[in-house]
């Protein structure tokens, strides 16, 4: 198998490219790469480090990948050079300080069965074991990417067709994944048997589109059709033929709770639940659990606005724009070092003096990870004259790392794994601090019962109980 992505990584050490990303695909549309462009643009919040699109035309692939935002990497001319009625695309989150073009997807491979381009969102928990096994059998890896593990498995499979090779390869994978795989004739979409990461299919006339989030369907004028089912592999061609295969039995549902709490865009729906409405319910529930006498409620833009509105409605306090975000800076996690992150937060947010001066302020945020953001914001509000600052978090304490596709710091960097709630309160300088209860969160999100007290969510970052093995102890 040859790996012919145009860049080689310096030094050979990378982060997991599969983590924290957005994927989009289209098949059966004359302007498939343009659809990808608009779809990826709508998914930009899921990753700003790099992006790429690969189309298939004339029996070969056409692709472009680059560092930066979708609008920076692609021009009209670039997209015109990506012809064909099928294309897949990817936006990648920065999971470490290093930024390498080699991590940009879709990754493209050639093997005896043909060419394949792969775009993925998620993390394979058994990737190290699979890699060791494949290497011991002679495979040579060019990256440390999980995606390449899938490519090698496909290349080693000895089935009659590429689709069957992919089917067998998917069976070997553990963890969280949503894959889009493009071949010269087909588009394949697959989702892990737990359904950790969001992944849906939409329709645009006769064309089919796939996206990490439904907001990308709205962006291209497509309508939501259905979610890709856990353990399902869909094979589509550009004539509208579609085959649904079950490469593995669905296992205990593990929809990522952080998607509801923080990641997904408020205008997306996940498992039939609108994210803005779910977050408002989180805020309402938080107000019921941790009401406080105050004058105004404000949310940390942008991800906590919905929860703050919910808190305000329930507590009958006015919701105010106490904090303003400079929309031209990225998310804080892009900053590599703690020092830069602190600076980043400062660049990013300002408090509105006229709103908070002399007031008792409830500041709602969706989560505390390292504690940097809360510390900075409490300080900002006080500097702007707030008399009291009450911090309310619309999720439980984030105490454990994620092994299923969300980039998180190590356990000892998670402030809630080291400190009690009161110690955190003191550290961030708040007058009071409350986290939403686990039950409150699960009920407020409102997914139907799935035969488990967690309603089919993955709550691992809050509870240290994961719906699938993490393999951490064995290692
Ligand atoms: P921290 O400053 O480390 O406590 O991070 C908390 C802030 O980052 C919150 O305001 C969240 O909205 C946001 N956040 C939560 N989880 C993540 C994540 N995995 N990646 C990036 N940002 C996050």
């Amino acid at each position: 198998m040859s790996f012919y992505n145009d860049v080689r990584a310096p030094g050979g050490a990378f982060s997991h490219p599969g983590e924290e990303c957005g994927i989009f695909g289209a098949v059966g549309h004359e302007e498939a790469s343009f659809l990808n462009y608009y779809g990826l643009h709508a998914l930009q919040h899921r990753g700003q480090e790099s992006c790429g699109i690969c189309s298939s035309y004339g029996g070969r692939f056409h692709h472009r990948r680059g560092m930066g935002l979708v609008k920076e990497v692609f021009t009209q001319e670039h997209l015109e050079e990506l012809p064909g009625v099928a294309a897949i695309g990817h936006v990648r989150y920065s999971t470490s300080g290093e930024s390498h073009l080699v991590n940009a997807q879709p990754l493209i491979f050639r093997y005896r069965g043909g060419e394949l381009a792969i775009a993925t969102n998620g993390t394979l928990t058994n990737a190290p074991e699979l890699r060791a096994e494949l290497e011991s059998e002679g495979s040579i890896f060019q990256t440390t990417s999980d995606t390449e593990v899938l490519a090698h498995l496909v290349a080693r499979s000895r089935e009659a067709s590429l689709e069957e090779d992919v089917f067998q390869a998917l069976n070997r994978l553990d963890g969280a994944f949503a894959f889009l795989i493009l071949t010269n004739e087909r588009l394949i979409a697959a989702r892990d048997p737990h359904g950790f990461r969001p992944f849906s299919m939409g329709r645009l006339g006769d064309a089919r589109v796939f996206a990490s989030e439904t907001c990308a369907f709205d962006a291209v004028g497509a309508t939501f059709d259905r979610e890709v089912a856990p353990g399902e592999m869909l094979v589509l061609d550009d004539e509208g033929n579609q085959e649904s295969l079950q490469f593995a039995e669905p296992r205990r549902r593990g929809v990522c709770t952080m998607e509801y709490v923080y990641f997904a865009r408020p205008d997306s729906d996940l498992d039939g639940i609108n994210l803005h409405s779910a977050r408002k319910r989180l805020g309402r529930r938080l107000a019921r659990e941790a009401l406080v006498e105050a004058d105004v409620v404000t949310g940390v833009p942008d991800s906590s606005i919905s929860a703050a509105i919910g808190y305000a409605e329930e507590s009958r306090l006015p919701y105010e724009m106490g904090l303003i975000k400079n929309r031209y800076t990225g998310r804080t996690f892009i900053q590599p070092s703690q020092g830069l992150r602190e600076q980043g937060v400062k660049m990013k947010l300002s408090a509105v003096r006229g709103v908070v001066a002399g007031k008792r302020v409830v500041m709602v945020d969706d989560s505390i990870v390292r504690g940097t953001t809360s510390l900075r914001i409490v300080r900002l509000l006080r500097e702007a004259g707030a008399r009291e600052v009450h911090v309310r978090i619309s999720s439980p304490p984030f105490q454990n790392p994620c092994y299923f596709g969300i980039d998180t710091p190590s356990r000892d960097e998670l402030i809630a794994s080291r400190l009690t709630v009161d110690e955190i309160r003191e550290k961030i300088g708040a007058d009071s601090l409350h986290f939403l209860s686990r039950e409150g969160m699960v009920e407020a999100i409102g997914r139907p019962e799935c035969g488990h007290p967690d309603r089919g969510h993955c709550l691992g970052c809050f509870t240290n109980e994961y719906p699938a093995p993490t393999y951490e102890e064995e290692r």
Side-chain angles (χ1 to χ4, degrees), residues 93 258 262-263 300 303-304 332-333 341 365-374 406-408:
Y93 206 83
M258 279 306 280
Y262 167 74
F263 269 105
V300 182
S303 54
S304 306
T332 44
F333 269 37
R341 285 197 68 227
D365 200 356
D366 52 75
S367 53
I368 295 185
V369 183
R370 292 184 173 91
T372 321
T373 308
S374 305
I406 285 197
D407 180 37
T408 48

PDB file of all heavy atoms in Angstrom, residues 93 258 262-263 300 303-304 332-333 341 365-374 406-408, ligand 1:
ATOM      1  N   TYR A  93      -9.314  19.616  14.292  1.00  0.00           N
ATOM      2  CA  TYR A  93      -9.041  20.386  15.492  1.00  0.00           C
ATOM      3  C   TYR A  93      -7.576  20.234  15.838  1.00  0.00           C
ATOM      4  O   TYR A  93      -6.998  19.183  15.616  1.00  0.00           O
ATOM      5  CB  TYR A  93      -9.863  19.774  16.622  1.00  0.00           C
ATOM      6  CG  TYR A  93     -10.209  20.709  17.741  1.00  0.00           C
ATOM      7  CD1 TYR A  93     -11.293  21.559  17.625  1.00  0.00           C
ATOM      8  CD2 TYR A  93      -9.470  20.710  18.904  1.00  0.00           C
ATOM      9  CE1 TYR A  93     -11.635  22.401  18.653  1.00  0.00           C
ATOM     10  CE2 TYR A  93      -9.814  21.557  19.941  1.00  0.00           C
ATOM     11  CZ  TYR A  93     -10.899  22.395  19.812  1.00  0.00           C
ATOM     12  OH  TYR A  93     -11.234  23.219  20.836  1.00  0.00           O
ATOM     13  N   MET A 258     -20.699  15.547  25.963  1.00  0.00           N
ATOM     14  CA  MET A 258     -20.076  16.849  25.727  1.00  0.00           C
ATOM     15  C   MET A 258     -20.516  17.468  24.404  1.00  0.00           C
ATOM     16  O   MET A 258     -20.426  18.675  24.227  1.00  0.00           O
ATOM     17  CB  MET A 258     -18.543  16.747  25.799  1.00  0.00           C
ATOM     18  CG  MET A 258     -17.978  16.769  27.204  1.00  0.00           C
ATOM     19  SD  MET A 258     -18.516  18.187  28.206  1.00  0.00           S
ATOM     20  CE  MET A 258     -17.447  19.495  27.616  1.00  0.00           C
ATOM     21  N   TYR A 262     -21.372  21.142  24.996  1.00  0.00           N
ATOM     22  CA  TYR A 262     -20.449  22.148  24.483  1.00  0.00           C
ATOM     23  C   TYR A 262     -20.189  22.128  22.985  1.00  0.00           C
ATOM     24  O   TYR A 262     -20.205  23.170  22.329  1.00  0.00           O
ATOM     25  CB  TYR A 262     -19.109  22.010  25.227  1.00  0.00           C
ATOM     26  CG  TYR A 262     -17.971  22.763  24.603  1.00  0.00           C
ATOM     27  CD1 TYR A 262     -17.902  24.148  24.711  1.00  0.00           C
ATOM     28  CD2 TYR A 262     -16.967  22.101  23.906  1.00  0.00           C
ATOM     29  CE1 TYR A 262     -16.861  24.851  24.118  1.00  0.00           C
ATOM     30  CE2 TYR A 262     -15.917  22.805  23.321  1.00  0.00           C
ATOM     31  CZ  TYR A 262     -15.880  24.170  23.427  1.00  0.00           C
ATOM     32  OH  TYR A 262     -14.855  24.858  22.848  1.00  0.00           O
ATOM     33  N   PHE A 263     -19.945  20.909  22.434  1.00  0.00           N
ATOM     34  CA  PHE A 263     -19.348  20.903  21.104  1.00  0.00           C
ATOM     35  C   PHE A 263     -20.235  21.298  19.957  1.00  0.00           C
ATOM     36  O   PHE A 263     -19.907  22.160  19.154  1.00  0.00           O
ATOM     37  CB  PHE A 263     -18.717  19.543  20.794  1.00  0.00           C
ATOM     38  CG  PHE A 263     -17.310  19.556  21.205  1.00  0.00           C
ATOM     39  CD1 PHE A 263     -16.908  18.914  22.334  1.00  0.00           C
ATOM     40  CD2 PHE A 263     -16.395  20.315  20.499  1.00  0.00           C
ATOM     41  CE1 PHE A 263     -15.617  19.007  22.757  1.00  0.00           C
ATOM     42  CE2 PHE A 263     -15.095  20.413  20.915  1.00  0.00           C
ATOM     43  CZ  PHE A 263     -14.707  19.746  22.058  1.00  0.00           C
ATOM     44  N   VAL A 300     -21.208  32.744  29.035  1.00  0.00           N
ATOM     45  CA  VAL A 300     -19.916  32.889  28.370  1.00  0.00           C
ATOM     46  C   VAL A 300     -20.139  32.607  26.881  1.00  0.00           C
ATOM     47  O   VAL A 300     -20.546  31.516  26.506  1.00  0.00           O
ATOM     48  CB  VAL A 300     -18.883  31.904  28.940  1.00  0.00           C
ATOM     49  CG1 VAL A 300     -17.532  32.102  28.256  1.00  0.00           C
ATOM     50  CG2 VAL A 300     -18.753  32.080  30.442  1.00  0.00           C
ATOM     51  N   SER A 303     -20.675  29.354  23.522  1.00  0.00           N
ATOM     52  CA  SER A 303     -21.223  28.036  23.800  1.00  0.00           C
ATOM     53  C   SER A 303     -22.182  28.005  24.984  1.00  0.00           C
ATOM     54  O   SER A 303     -22.976  27.087  25.112  1.00  0.00           O
ATOM     55  CB  SER A 303     -20.083  27.039  24.033  1.00  0.00           C
ATOM     56  OG  SER A 303     -19.224  27.510  25.041  1.00  0.00           O
ATOM     57  N   SER A 304     -22.132  29.018  25.851  1.00  0.00           N
ATOM     58  CA  SER A 304     -22.967  28.945  27.060  1.00  0.00           C
ATOM     59  C   SER A 304     -24.190  29.854  27.027  1.00  0.00           C
ATOM     60  O   SER A 304     -24.928  29.924  28.004  1.00  0.00           O
ATOM     61  CB  SER A 304     -22.123  29.289  28.285  1.00  0.00           C
ATOM     62  OG  SER A 304     -20.995  28.469  28.325  1.00  0.00           O
ATOM     63  N   THR A 332     -10.111  28.877  22.730  1.00  0.00           N
ATOM     64  CA  THR A 332      -8.934  28.948  23.594  1.00  0.00           C
ATOM     65  C   THR A 332      -8.050  27.715  23.476  1.00  0.00           C
ATOM     66  O   THR A 332      -6.851  27.812  23.632  1.00  0.00           O
ATOM     67  CB  THR A 332      -9.332  29.083  25.077  1.00  0.00           C
ATOM     68  OG1 THR A 332     -10.376  28.174  25.335  1.00  0.00           O
ATOM     69  CG2 THR A 332      -9.696  30.479  25.408  1.00  0.00           C
ATOM     70  N   PHE A 333      -8.633  26.567  23.209  1.00  0.00           N
ATOM     71  CA  PHE A 333      -7.832  25.354  23.225  1.00  0.00           C
ATOM     72  C   PHE A 333      -6.816  25.292  22.094  1.00  0.00           C
ATOM     73  O   PHE A 333      -5.932  24.462  22.115  1.00  0.00           O
ATOM     74  CB  PHE A 333      -8.729  24.120  23.168  1.00  0.00           C
ATOM     75  CG  PHE A 333      -9.099  23.627  24.533  1.00  0.00           C
ATOM     76  CD1 PHE A 333      -9.346  24.518  25.558  1.00  0.00           C
ATOM     77  CD2 PHE A 333      -9.179  22.268  24.807  1.00  0.00           C
ATOM     78  CE1 PHE A 333      -9.699  24.074  26.823  1.00  0.00           C
ATOM     79  CE2 PHE A 333      -9.531  21.818  26.067  1.00  0.00           C
ATOM     80  CZ  PHE A 333      -9.789  22.724  27.070  1.00  0.00           C
ATOM     81  N   ARG A 341      -2.638  30.449  26.503  1.00  0.00           N
ATOM     82  CA  ARG A 341      -4.088  30.288  26.656  1.00  0.00           C
ATOM     83  C   ARG A 341      -4.646  31.403  27.510  1.00  0.00           C
ATOM     84  O   ARG A 341      -5.680  31.965  27.224  1.00  0.00           O
ATOM     85  CB  ARG A 341      -4.409  28.934  27.300  1.00  0.00           C
ATOM     86  CG  ARG A 341      -4.236  27.783  26.334  1.00  0.00           C
ATOM     87  CD  ARG A 341      -4.937  26.564  26.864  1.00  0.00           C
ATOM     88  NE  ARG A 341      -6.359  26.755  26.857  1.00  0.00           N
ATOM     89  CZ  ARG A 341      -7.156  26.485  27.866  1.00  0.00           C
ATOM     90  NH1 ARG A 341      -6.694  26.006  28.985  1.00  0.00           N
ATOM     91  NH2 ARG A 341      -8.438  26.665  27.758  1.00  0.00           N
ATOM     92  N   ASP A 365     -21.420  29.038  32.615  1.00  0.00           N
ATOM     93  CA  ASP A 365     -20.551  28.468  31.582  1.00  0.00           C
ATOM     94  C   ASP A 365     -20.920  26.989  31.431  1.00  0.00           C
ATOM     95  O   ASP A 365     -21.531  26.397  32.328  1.00  0.00           O
ATOM     96  CB  ASP A 365     -19.066  28.626  31.942  1.00  0.00           C
ATOM     97  CG  ASP A 365     -18.170  28.509  30.695  1.00  0.00           C
ATOM     98  OD1 ASP A 365     -18.686  28.242  29.588  1.00  0.00           O
ATOM     99  OD2 ASP A 365     -16.939  28.673  30.830  1.00  0.00           O
ATOM    100  N   ASP A 366     -20.537  26.391  30.303  1.00  0.00           N
ATOM    101  CA  ASP A 366     -20.951  25.007  30.074  1.00  0.00           C
ATOM    102  C   ASP A 366     -20.062  24.005  30.782  1.00  0.00           C
ATOM    103  O   ASP A 366     -20.494  22.909  31.104  1.00  0.00           O
ATOM    104  CB  ASP A 366     -21.004  24.704  28.566  1.00  0.00           C
ATOM    105  CG  ASP A 366     -19.712  25.076  27.887  1.00  0.00           C
ATOM    106  OD1 ASP A 366     -18.722  24.346  28.039  1.00  0.00           O
ATOM    107  OD2 ASP A 366     -19.687  26.136  27.229  1.00  0.00           O
ATOM    108  N   SER A 367     -18.792  24.357  30.992  1.00  0.00           N
ATOM    109  CA  SER A 367     -17.895  23.393  31.629  1.00  0.00           C
ATOM    110  C   SER A 367     -16.667  24.102  32.173  1.00  0.00           C
ATOM    111  O   SER A 367     -16.334  25.207  31.743  1.00  0.00           O
ATOM    112  CB  SER A 367     -17.457  22.326  30.614  1.00  0.00           C
ATOM    113  OG  SER A 367     -16.931  22.943  29.468  1.00  0.00           O
ATOM    114  N   ILE A 368     -16.026  23.434  33.132  1.00  0.00           N
ATOM    115  CA  ILE A 368     -14.709  23.885  33.589  1.00  0.00           C
ATOM    116  C   ILE A 368     -13.774  22.733  33.305  1.00  0.00           C
ATOM    117  O   ILE A 368     -14.011  21.606  33.763  1.00  0.00           O
ATOM    118  CB  ILE A 368     -14.707  24.230  35.102  1.00  0.00           C
ATOM    119  CG1 ILE A 368     -15.622  25.428  35.376  1.00  0.00           C
ATOM    120  CG2 ILE A 368     -13.287  24.508  35.579  1.00  0.00           C
ATOM    121  CD1 ILE A 368     -15.591  25.913  36.829  1.00  0.00           C
ATOM    122  N   VAL A 369     -12.745  22.982  32.541  1.00  0.00           N
ATOM    123  CA  VAL A 369     -11.802  21.916  32.216  1.00  0.00           C
ATOM    124  C   VAL A 369     -10.524  22.128  33.040  1.00  0.00           C
ATOM    125  O   VAL A 369     -10.331  21.503  34.075  1.00  0.00           O
ATOM    126  CB  VAL A 369     -11.545  21.863  30.693  1.00  0.00           C
ATOM    127  CG1 VAL A 369     -10.606  20.703  30.365  1.00  0.00           C
ATOM    128  CG2 VAL A 369     -12.859  21.687  29.939  1.00  0.00           C
ATOM    129  N   ARG A 370      -9.705  23.059  32.614  1.00  0.00           N
ATOM    130  CA  ARG A 370      -8.519  23.371  33.430  1.00  0.00           C
ATOM    131  C   ARG A 370      -8.813  24.438  34.486  1.00  0.00           C
ATOM    132  O   ARG A 370      -8.082  24.594  35.439  1.00  0.00           O
ATOM    133  CB  ARG A 370      -7.401  23.887  32.543  1.00  0.00           C
ATOM    134  CG  ARG A 370      -6.799  22.874  31.608  1.00  0.00           C
ATOM    135  CD  ARG A 370      -5.633  23.569  30.895  1.00  0.00           C
ATOM    136  NE  ARG A 370      -4.874  22.650  30.082  1.00  0.00           N
ATOM    137  CZ  ARG A 370      -5.132  22.413  28.800  1.00  0.00           C
ATOM    138  NH1 ARG A 370      -6.146  23.012  28.216  1.00  0.00           N
ATOM    139  NH2 ARG A 370      -4.385  21.586  28.107  1.00  0.00           N
ATOM    140  N   GLY A 371      -9.846  25.211  34.225  1.00  0.00           N
ATOM    141  CA  GLY A 371     -10.198  26.284  35.154  1.00  0.00           C
ATOM    142  C   GLY A 371      -9.715  27.642  34.686  1.00  0.00           C
ATOM    143  O   GLY A 371     -10.016  28.664  35.311  1.00  0.00           O
ATOM    144  N   THR A 372      -8.980  27.658  33.591  1.00  0.00           N
ATOM    145  CA  THR A 372      -8.405  28.919  33.109  1.00  0.00           C
ATOM    146  C   THR A 372      -9.484  29.931  32.735  1.00  0.00           C
ATOM    147  O   THR A 372      -9.402  31.096  33.121  1.00  0.00           O
ATOM    148  CB  THR A 372      -7.561  28.652  31.837  1.00  0.00           C
ATOM    149  OG1 THR A 372      -6.871  27.436  32.018  1.00  0.00           O
ATOM    150  CG2 THR A 372      -6.611  29.779  31.569  1.00  0.00           C
ATOM    151  N   THR A 373     -10.482  29.472  31.986  1.00  0.00           N
ATOM    152  CA  THR A 373     -11.500  30.396  31.490  1.00  0.00           C
ATOM    153  C   THR A 373     -12.268  31.017  32.657  1.00  0.00           C
ATOM    154  O   THR A 373     -12.428  32.239  32.716  1.00  0.00           O
ATOM    155  CB  THR A 373     -12.480  29.649  30.548  1.00  0.00           C
ATOM    156  OG1 THR A 373     -11.714  28.973  29.560  1.00  0.00           O
ATOM    157  CG2 THR A 373     -13.453  30.596  29.893  1.00  0.00           C
ATOM    158  N   SER A 374     -12.690  30.196  33.595  1.00  0.00           N
ATOM    159  CA  SER A 374     -13.485  30.723  34.715  1.00  0.00           C
ATOM    160  C   SER A 374     -12.677  31.738  35.519  1.00  0.00           C
ATOM    161  O   SER A 374     -13.195  32.793  35.892  1.00  0.00           O
ATOM    162  CB  SER A 374     -13.923  29.600  35.646  1.00  0.00           C
ATOM    163  OG  SER A 374     -14.602  28.635  34.929  1.00  0.00           O
ATOM    164  N   ILE A 406     -12.708  13.175  22.122  1.00  0.00           N
ATOM    165  CA  ILE A 406     -12.600  14.585  22.501  1.00  0.00           C
ATOM    166  C   ILE A 406     -11.220  14.810  23.085  1.00  0.00           C
ATOM    167  O   ILE A 406     -10.759  14.045  23.920  1.00  0.00           O
ATOM    168  CB  ILE A 406     -13.704  14.993  23.491  1.00  0.00           C
ATOM    169  CG1 ILE A 406     -15.014  15.113  22.728  1.00  0.00           C
ATOM    170  CG2 ILE A 406     -13.361  16.295  24.189  1.00  0.00           C
ATOM    171  CD1 ILE A 406     -16.097  15.856  23.420  1.00  0.00           C
ATOM    172  N   ASP A 407     -10.595  15.841  22.609  1.00  0.00           N
ATOM    173  CA  ASP A 407      -9.262  16.145  23.092  1.00  0.00           C
ATOM    174  C   ASP A 407      -9.367  16.744  24.489  1.00  0.00           C
ATOM    175  O   ASP A 407     -10.001  17.773  24.681  1.00  0.00           O
ATOM    176  CB  ASP A 407      -8.622  17.152  22.141  1.00  0.00           C
ATOM    177  CG  ASP A 407      -7.233  17.520  22.595  1.00  0.00           C
ATOM    178  OD1 ASP A 407      -6.529  16.629  23.092  1.00  0.00           O
ATOM    179  OD2 ASP A 407      -6.863  18.689  22.470  1.00  0.00           O
ATOM    180  N   THR A 408      -8.791  16.060  25.460  1.00  0.00           N
ATOM    181  CA  THR A 408      -8.829  16.598  26.821  1.00  0.00           C
ATOM    182  C   THR A 408      -7.418  16.584  27.391  1.00  0.00           C
ATOM    183  O   THR A 408      -6.600  15.747  27.010  1.00  0.00           O
ATOM    184  CB  THR A 408      -9.722  15.744  27.745  1.00  0.00           C
ATOM    185  OG1 THR A 408      -9.379  14.363  27.576  1.00  0.00           O
ATOM    186  CG2 THR A 408     -11.175  15.942  27.441  1.00  0.00           C
TER     187      THR A 408
HETATM  188  P1  LIG B   1     -10.870  25.701  30.806  1.00  0.00           P
HETATM  189  O1  LIG B   1     -10.519  27.121  30.584  1.00  0.00           O
HETATM  190  O2  LIG B   1      -9.718  24.787  30.547  1.00  0.00           O
HETATM  191  O3  LIG B   1     -11.525  25.442  32.123  1.00  0.00           O
HETATM  192  O4  LIG B   1     -11.916  25.317  29.678  1.00  0.00           O
HETATM  193  C1  LIG B   1     -13.263  25.571  29.856  1.00  0.00           C
HETATM  194  C2  LIG B   1     -13.827  26.284  28.670  1.00  0.00           C
HETATM  195  O5  LIG B   1     -13.475  25.614  27.470  1.00  0.00           O
HETATM  196  C3  LIG B   1     -15.323  26.320  28.744  1.00  0.00           C
HETATM  197  O6  LIG B   1     -15.682  27.680  28.610  1.00  0.00           O
HETATM  198  C4  LIG B   1     -15.824  25.471  27.606  1.00  0.00           C
HETATM  199  O7  LIG B   1     -16.783  26.182  26.860  1.00  0.00           O
HETATM  200  C5  LIG B   1     -14.620  25.147  26.769  1.00  0.00           C
HETATM  201  N1  LIG B   1     -14.385  23.693  26.585  1.00  0.00           N
HETATM  202  C6  LIG B   1     -14.859  22.660  27.266  1.00  0.00           C
HETATM  203  N2  LIG B   1     -14.364  21.485  26.808  1.00  0.00           N
HETATM  204  C7  LIG B   1     -13.552  21.788  25.790  1.00  0.00           C
HETATM  205  C8  LIG B   1     -12.729  21.033  24.901  1.00  0.00           C
HETATM  206  N3  LIG B   1     -12.631  19.695  24.992  1.00  0.00           N
HETATM  207  N4  LIG B   1     -12.055  21.697  23.950  1.00  0.00           N
HETATM  208  C9  LIG B   1     -12.117  23.032  23.882  1.00  0.00           C
HETATM  209  N5  LIG B   1     -12.836  23.802  24.711  1.00  0.00           N
HETATM  210  C10 LIG B   1     -13.548  23.206  25.654  1.00  0.00           C
END
